[in-house]
Amino acid sequence: MWALLVLLGVLLTGCQSPSAGVAEDGRLGGPASGTTAAGSAPVTRPSGYGAVFLAVDECSSFGTTSFTEVPCAGERAAARVVARHDGTVRDGPRCPATTDFVLHISEQRPASDEDGDGAVPQGYACMRNLQPPHPGDPGGGGGPRTIVGDCVYSSGDGQVRETGCDGKDEQEPEYKVTEAVARRADCPASTALYVRLGGDRPVGCARPL
């Protein structure tokens, strides 16, 4: 079954913004949901992978412009859903700490439902790559969340962004988050930077490298 997908570009300060829309046929900038470009054949949506599009433990393909649900045992499978929520990322539960990336699933209500797909509500899927690299791991240099073990650098606008701790990314790491605490006062004396993490322990204590 197919749905409109938008890959969220994740800023390490906690901000997220959707990329360009993806059409039902997998092309960027295609027709809106429920429509077909003039002169083109109707889109056929395969079904049978699950009652919910990209449910937990289901898998997606990995492409440069779009993602589709595929069997996890298939050669096209690239990432697995570790958590799935309806609504928006801003208003919904947070993804697990080691999530590699987030897929935003746009609402789809097909005009007809001959294949039994039904409507797909707006939601998001927290994804974990089936194979390394895992940017969501501590020190991995990416992922939708900054966690203990991650490294950051100053972006020059009063904020910090995540980068790989191994120094292989374009930006060299300047600080490493060593602890997550409830208050700044709980950070050790060696703390040189406070990083906003969110959750029950929203303050990240970072030391210089």
Side-chain angles (χ1 to χ4, degrees), residues 18-49:
S19 63
V22 180
E24 289 182 3
D25 59 359
R27 296 175 298 170
L28 284 176
S33 175
T35 65
T36 303
S40 62
V43 176
T44 301
R45 296 189 302 270
S47 60
Y49 302 139

PDB file of all heavy atoms in Angstrom, residues 18-49:
ATOM      1  N   PRO A  18       9.633  19.658   7.190  1.00  0.00           N
ATOM      2  CA  PRO A  18       9.408  18.679   6.128  1.00  0.00           C
ATOM      3  C   PRO A  18      10.057  19.099   4.834  1.00  0.00           C
ATOM      4  O   PRO A  18      10.256  20.274   4.560  1.00  0.00           O
ATOM      5  CB  PRO A  18       7.876  18.658   5.996  1.00  0.00           C
ATOM      6  CG  PRO A  18       7.451  20.002   6.465  1.00  0.00           C
ATOM      7  CD  PRO A  18       8.432  20.411   7.535  1.00  0.00           C
ATOM      8  N   SER A  19      10.398  18.116   4.010  1.00  0.00           N
ATOM      9  CA  SER A  19      10.948  18.398   2.696  1.00  0.00           C
ATOM     10  C   SER A  19       9.815  18.482   1.690  1.00  0.00           C
ATOM     11  O   SER A  19       8.649  18.509   2.044  1.00  0.00           O
ATOM     12  CB  SER A  19      11.938  17.285   2.320  1.00  0.00           C
ATOM     13  OG  SER A  19      11.252  16.061   2.242  1.00  0.00           O
ATOM     14  N   ALA A  20      10.162  18.498   0.422  1.00  0.00           N
ATOM     15  CA  ALA A  20       9.141  18.627  -0.614  1.00  0.00           C
ATOM     16  C   ALA A  20       8.219  17.427  -0.619  1.00  0.00           C
ATOM     17  O   ALA A  20       8.584  16.341  -0.205  1.00  0.00           O
ATOM     18  CB  ALA A  20       9.822  18.760  -1.970  1.00  0.00           C
ATOM     19  N   GLY A  21       6.999  17.628  -1.121  1.00  0.00           N
ATOM     20  CA  GLY A  21       6.019  16.547  -1.133  1.00  0.00           C
ATOM     21  C   GLY A  21       6.383  15.465  -2.121  1.00  0.00           C
ATOM     22  O   GLY A  21       7.084  15.693  -3.088  1.00  0.00           O
ATOM     23  N   VAL A  22       5.895  14.259  -1.857  1.00  0.00           N
ATOM     24  CA  VAL A  22       6.124  13.121  -2.733  1.00  0.00           C
ATOM     25  C   VAL A  22       4.787  12.618  -3.232  1.00  0.00           C
ATOM     26  O   VAL A  22       3.861  12.401  -2.463  1.00  0.00           O
ATOM     27  CB  VAL A  22       6.858  11.996  -1.980  1.00  0.00           C
ATOM     28  CG1 VAL A  22       7.092  10.819  -2.903  1.00  0.00           C
ATOM     29  CG2 VAL A  22       8.165  12.499  -1.420  1.00  0.00           C
ATOM     30  N   ALA A  23       4.666  12.422  -4.539  1.00  0.00           N
ATOM     31  CA  ALA A  23       3.410  11.982  -5.124  1.00  0.00           C
ATOM     32  C   ALA A  23       3.197  10.507  -4.877  1.00  0.00           C
ATOM     33  O   ALA A  23       4.102   9.782  -4.483  1.00  0.00           O
ATOM     34  CB  ALA A  23       3.436  12.257  -6.632  1.00  0.00           C
ATOM     35  N   GLU A  24       1.964  10.025  -5.132  1.00  0.00           N
ATOM     36  CA  GLU A  24       1.631   8.625  -4.924  1.00  0.00           C
ATOM     37  C   GLU A  24       2.494   7.705  -5.768  1.00  0.00           C
ATOM     38  O   GLU A  24       2.747   6.563  -5.406  1.00  0.00           O
ATOM     39  CB  GLU A  24       0.159   8.363  -5.262  1.00  0.00           C
ATOM     40  CG  GLU A  24      -0.805   8.961  -4.248  1.00  0.00           C
ATOM     41  CD  GLU A  24      -2.242   8.647  -4.591  1.00  0.00           C
ATOM     42  OE1 GLU A  24      -2.470   7.919  -5.567  1.00  0.00           O
ATOM     43  OE2 GLU A  24      -3.129   9.100  -3.888  1.00  0.00           O
ATOM     44  N   ASP A  25       2.939   8.184  -6.935  1.00  0.00           N
ATOM     45  CA  ASP A  25       3.732   7.337  -7.813  1.00  0.00           C
ATOM     46  C   ASP A  25       5.217   7.415  -7.487  1.00  0.00           C
ATOM     47  O   ASP A  25       6.039   6.919  -8.236  1.00  0.00           O
ATOM     48  CB  ASP A  25       3.497   7.715  -9.277  1.00  0.00           C
ATOM     49  CG  ASP A  25       3.852   9.173  -9.555  1.00  0.00           C
ATOM     50  OD1 ASP A  25       4.255   9.876  -8.619  1.00  0.00           O
ATOM     51  OD2 ASP A  25       3.710   9.590 -10.702  1.00  0.00           O
ATOM     52  N   GLY A  26       5.567   8.065  -6.354  1.00  0.00           N
ATOM     53  CA  GLY A  26       6.944   8.086  -5.903  1.00  0.00           C
ATOM     54  C   GLY A  26       7.778   9.218  -6.458  1.00  0.00           C
ATOM     55  O   GLY A  26       8.966   9.291  -6.199  1.00  0.00           O
ATOM     56  N   ARG A  27       7.178  10.154  -7.214  1.00  0.00           N
ATOM     57  CA  ARG A  27       7.937  11.253  -7.788  1.00  0.00           C
ATOM     58  C   ARG A  27       7.713  12.510  -6.982  1.00  0.00           C
ATOM     59  O   ARG A  27       6.622  12.762  -6.488  1.00  0.00           O
ATOM     60  CB  ARG A  27       7.509  11.507  -9.232  1.00  0.00           C
ATOM     61  CG  ARG A  27       7.814  10.338 -10.174  1.00  0.00           C
ATOM     62  CD  ARG A  27       7.240  10.620 -11.546  1.00  0.00           C
ATOM     63  NE  ARG A  27       5.794  10.753 -11.486  1.00  0.00           N
ATOM     64  CZ  ARG A  27       5.051  11.192 -12.496  1.00  0.00           C
ATOM     65  NH1 ARG A  27       5.618  11.560 -13.606  1.00  0.00           N
ATOM     66  NH2 ARG A  27       3.741  11.262 -12.374  1.00  0.00           N
ATOM     67  N   LEU A  28       8.755  13.335  -6.861  1.00  0.00           N
ATOM     68  CA  LEU A  28       8.613  14.618  -6.183  1.00  0.00           C
ATOM     69  C   LEU A  28       7.750  15.551  -7.009  1.00  0.00           C
ATOM     70  O   LEU A  28       7.821  15.562  -8.232  1.00  0.00           O
ATOM     71  CB  LEU A  28       9.988  15.262  -5.990  1.00  0.00           C
ATOM     72  CG  LEU A  28      10.844  14.657  -4.871  1.00  0.00           C
ATOM     73  CD1 LEU A  28      12.207  15.327  -4.869  1.00  0.00           C
ATOM     74  CD2 LEU A  28      10.174  14.838  -3.533  1.00  0.00           C
ATOM     75  N   GLY A  29       6.920  16.337  -6.301  1.00  0.00           N
ATOM     76  CA  GLY A  29       6.140  17.351  -6.977  1.00  0.00           C
ATOM     77  C   GLY A  29       5.044  16.797  -7.849  1.00  0.00           C
ATOM     78  O   GLY A  29       4.624  17.442  -8.793  1.00  0.00           O
ATOM     79  N   GLY A  30       4.556  15.606  -7.580  1.00  0.00           N
ATOM     80  CA  GLY A  30       3.510  14.987  -8.377  1.00  0.00           C
ATOM     81  C   GLY A  30       2.145  15.501  -8.003  1.00  0.00           C
ATOM     82  O   GLY A  30       1.995  16.425  -7.209  1.00  0.00           O
ATOM     83  N   PRO A  31       1.070  14.906  -8.555  1.00  0.00           N
ATOM     84  CA  PRO A  31      -0.285  15.355  -8.275  1.00  0.00           C
ATOM     85  C   PRO A  31      -0.659  15.111  -6.839  1.00  0.00           C
ATOM     86  O   PRO A  31      -0.077  14.277  -6.162  1.00  0.00           O
ATOM     87  CB  PRO A  31      -1.138  14.491  -9.217  1.00  0.00           C
ATOM     88  CG  PRO A  31      -0.296  13.283  -9.475  1.00  0.00           C
ATOM     89  CD  PRO A  31       1.108  13.764  -9.470  1.00  0.00           C
ATOM     90  N   ALA A  32      -1.645  15.827  -6.362  1.00  0.00           N
ATOM     91  CA  ALA A  32      -2.105  15.694  -4.994  1.00  0.00           C
ATOM     92  C   ALA A  32      -2.801  14.361  -4.804  1.00  0.00           C
ATOM     93  O   ALA A  32      -3.146  13.677  -5.755  1.00  0.00           O
ATOM     94  CB  ALA A  32      -3.062  16.843  -4.653  1.00  0.00           C
ATOM     95  N   SER A  33      -3.015  14.007  -3.518  1.00  0.00           N
ATOM     96  CA  SER A  33      -3.640  12.731  -3.194  1.00  0.00           C
ATOM     97  C   SER A  33      -5.002  12.615  -3.859  1.00  0.00           C
ATOM     98  O   SER A  33      -5.804  13.538  -3.831  1.00  0.00           O
ATOM     99  CB  SER A  33      -3.796  12.627  -1.670  1.00  0.00           C
ATOM    100  OG  SER A  33      -4.491  11.464  -1.329  1.00  0.00           O
ATOM    101  N   GLY A  34      -5.256  11.436  -4.457  1.00  0.00           N
ATOM    102  CA  GLY A  34      -6.552  11.191  -5.067  1.00  0.00           C
ATOM    103  C   GLY A  34      -6.649  11.678  -6.497  1.00  0.00           C
ATOM    104  O   GLY A  34      -7.706  11.592  -7.095  1.00  0.00           O
ATOM    105  N   THR A  35      -5.534  12.219  -7.070  1.00  0.00           N
ATOM    106  CA  THR A  35      -5.576  12.720  -8.439  1.00  0.00           C
ATOM    107  C   THR A  35      -4.502  12.038  -9.244  1.00  0.00           C
ATOM    108  O   THR A  35      -3.551  11.490  -8.721  1.00  0.00           O
ATOM    109  CB  THR A  35      -5.368  14.244  -8.487  1.00  0.00           C
ATOM    110  OG1 THR A  35      -4.047  14.531  -8.022  1.00  0.00           O
ATOM    111  CG2 THR A  35      -6.387  14.959  -7.632  1.00  0.00           C
ATOM    112  N   THR A  36      -4.643  12.112 -10.577  1.00  0.00           N
ATOM    113  CA  THR A  36      -3.662  11.532 -11.490  1.00  0.00           C
ATOM    114  C   THR A  36      -3.316  12.560 -12.545  1.00  0.00           C
ATOM    115  O   THR A  36      -4.190  13.280 -13.032  1.00  0.00           O
ATOM    116  CB  THR A  36      -4.247  10.275 -12.172  1.00  0.00           C
ATOM    117  OG1 THR A  36      -4.650   9.352 -11.159  1.00  0.00           O
ATOM    118  CG2 THR A  36      -3.218   9.625 -13.078  1.00  0.00           C
ATOM    119  N   ALA A  37      -2.024  12.675 -12.865  1.00  0.00           N
ATOM    120  CA  ALA A  37      -1.598  13.644 -13.872  1.00  0.00           C
ATOM    121  C   ALA A  37      -2.282  13.339 -15.199  1.00  0.00           C
ATOM    122  O   ALA A  37      -2.530  12.190 -15.537  1.00  0.00           O
ATOM    123  CB  ALA A  37      -0.070  13.597 -14.038  1.00  0.00           C
ATOM    124  N   ALA A  38      -2.547  14.400 -15.949  1.00  0.00           N
ATOM    125  CA  ALA A  38      -3.239  14.248 -17.220  1.00  0.00           C
ATOM    126  C   ALA A  38      -2.463  13.337 -18.150  1.00  0.00           C
ATOM    127  O   ALA A  38      -1.262  13.477 -18.323  1.00  0.00           O
ATOM    128  CB  ALA A  38      -3.424  15.630 -17.875  1.00  0.00           C
ATOM    129  N   GLY A  39      -3.176  12.365 -18.760  1.00  0.00           N
ATOM    130  CA  GLY A  39      -2.561  11.481 -19.729  1.00  0.00           C
ATOM    131  C   GLY A  39      -1.817  10.316 -19.128  1.00  0.00           C
ATOM    132  O   GLY A  39      -1.292   9.477 -19.861  1.00  0.00           O
ATOM    133  N   SER A  40      -1.725  10.222 -17.773  1.00  0.00           N
ATOM    134  CA  SER A  40      -0.999   9.132 -17.152  1.00  0.00           C
ATOM    135  C   SER A  40      -1.964   8.070 -16.674  1.00  0.00           C
ATOM    136  O   SER A  40      -3.133   8.324 -16.437  1.00  0.00           O
ATOM    137  CB  SER A  40      -0.164   9.640 -15.966  1.00  0.00           C
ATOM    138  OG  SER A  40      -1.005  10.176 -14.972  1.00  0.00           O
ATOM    139  N   ALA A  41      -1.471   6.861 -16.514  1.00  0.00           N
ATOM    140  CA  ALA A  41      -2.314   5.761 -16.061  1.00  0.00           C
ATOM    141  C   ALA A  41      -2.565   5.871 -14.566  1.00  0.00           C
ATOM    142  O   ALA A  41      -1.747   6.415 -13.831  1.00  0.00           O
ATOM    143  CB  ALA A  41      -1.618   4.435 -16.373  1.00  0.00           C
ATOM    144  N   PRO A  42      -3.709   5.377 -14.093  1.00  0.00           N
ATOM    145  CA  PRO A  42      -3.987   5.410 -12.656  1.00  0.00           C
ATOM    146  C   PRO A  42      -2.924   4.653 -11.883  1.00  0.00           C
ATOM    147  O   PRO A  42      -2.355   3.673 -12.365  1.00  0.00           O
ATOM    148  CB  PRO A  42      -5.354   4.719 -12.546  1.00  0.00           C
ATOM    149  CG  PRO A  42      -5.947   4.818 -13.911  1.00  0.00           C
ATOM    150  CD  PRO A  42      -4.800   4.786 -14.872  1.00  0.00           C
ATOM    151  N   VAL A  43      -2.648   5.127 -10.654  1.00  0.00           N
ATOM    152  CA  VAL A  43      -1.641   4.498  -9.814  1.00  0.00           C
ATOM    153  C   VAL A  43      -2.221   3.244  -9.170  1.00  0.00           C
ATOM    154  O   VAL A  43      -3.328   3.255  -8.656  1.00  0.00           O
ATOM    155  CB  VAL A  43      -1.179   5.478  -8.714  1.00  0.00           C
ATOM    156  CG1 VAL A  43      -0.208   4.797  -7.765  1.00  0.00           C
ATOM    157  CG2 VAL A  43      -0.530   6.702  -9.350  1.00  0.00           C
ATOM    158  N   THR A  44      -1.489   2.146  -9.215  1.00  0.00           N
ATOM    159  CA  THR A  44      -1.896   0.917  -8.538  1.00  0.00           C
ATOM    160  C   THR A  44      -1.115   0.804  -7.247  1.00  0.00           C
ATOM    161  O   THR A  44       0.106   0.783  -7.252  1.00  0.00           O
ATOM    162  CB  THR A  44      -1.619  -0.316  -9.416  1.00  0.00           C
ATOM    163  OG1 THR A  44      -2.335  -0.179 -10.631  1.00  0.00           O
ATOM    164  CG2 THR A  44      -2.050  -1.592  -8.708  1.00  0.00           C
ATOM    165  N   ARG A  45      -1.818   0.715  -6.131  1.00  0.00           N
ATOM    166  CA  ARG A  45      -1.166   0.663  -4.828  1.00  0.00           C
ATOM    167  C   ARG A  45      -1.133  -0.778  -4.336  1.00  0.00           C
ATOM    168  O   ARG A  45      -2.179  -1.351  -4.045  1.00  0.00           O
ATOM    169  CB  ARG A  45      -1.920   1.537  -3.820  1.00  0.00           C
ATOM    170  CG  ARG A  45      -1.921   3.008  -4.149  1.00  0.00           C
ATOM    171  CD  ARG A  45      -2.502   3.789  -2.988  1.00  0.00           C
ATOM    172  NE  ARG A  45      -3.851   3.350  -2.658  1.00  0.00           N
ATOM    173  CZ  ARG A  45      -4.942   3.858  -3.196  1.00  0.00           C
ATOM    174  NH1 ARG A  45      -4.845   4.782  -4.101  1.00  0.00           N
ATOM    175  NH2 ARG A  45      -6.138   3.427  -2.829  1.00  0.00           N
ATOM    176  N   PRO A  46       0.061  -1.389  -4.204  1.00  0.00           N
ATOM    177  CA  PRO A  46       0.115  -2.744  -3.682  1.00  0.00           C
ATOM    178  C   PRO A  46      -0.286  -2.774  -2.214  1.00  0.00           C
ATOM    179  O   PRO A  46      -0.076  -1.814  -1.498  1.00  0.00           O
ATOM    180  CB  PRO A  46       1.594  -3.125  -3.849  1.00  0.00           C
ATOM    181  CG  PRO A  46       2.320  -1.823  -3.864  1.00  0.00           C
ATOM    182  CD  PRO A  46       1.388  -0.842  -4.518  1.00  0.00           C
ATOM    183  N   SER A  47      -0.874  -3.864  -1.777  1.00  0.00           N
ATOM    184  CA  SER A  47      -1.296  -3.981  -0.381  1.00  0.00           C
ATOM    185  C   SER A  47      -0.864  -5.340   0.140  1.00  0.00           C
ATOM    186  O   SER A  47      -0.325  -6.162  -0.570  1.00  0.00           O
ATOM    187  CB  SER A  47      -2.808  -3.819  -0.266  1.00  0.00           C
ATOM    188  OG  SER A  47      -3.457  -4.825  -1.023  1.00  0.00           O
ATOM    189  N   GLY A  48      -1.120  -5.563   1.438  1.00  0.00           N
ATOM    190  CA  GLY A  48      -0.876  -6.866   2.006  1.00  0.00           C
ATOM    191  C   GLY A  48       0.244  -6.932   3.017  1.00  0.00           C
ATOM    192  O   GLY A  48       0.491  -7.976   3.596  1.00  0.00           O
ATOM    193  N   TYR A  49       0.955  -5.826   3.295  1.00  0.00           N
ATOM    194  CA  TYR A  49       2.044  -5.871   4.249  1.00  0.00           C
ATOM    195  C   TYR A  49       1.571  -5.637   5.675  1.00  0.00           C
ATOM    196  O   TYR A  49       2.322  -5.873   6.604  1.00  0.00           O
ATOM    197  CB  TYR A  49       3.116  -4.835   3.888  1.00  0.00           C
ATOM    198  CG  TYR A  49       3.688  -5.022   2.514  1.00  0.00           C
ATOM    199  CD1 TYR A  49       3.932  -3.930   1.699  1.00  0.00           C
ATOM    200  CD2 TYR A  49       3.970  -6.289   2.031  1.00  0.00           C
ATOM    201  CE1 TYR A  49       4.454  -4.101   0.432  1.00  0.00           C
ATOM    202  CE2 TYR A  49       4.483  -6.465   0.762  1.00  0.00           C
ATOM    203  CZ  TYR A  49       4.720  -5.375  -0.035  1.00  0.00           C
ATOM    204  OH  TYR A  49       5.221  -5.545  -1.288  1.00  0.00           O
TER     205      TYR A  49
END
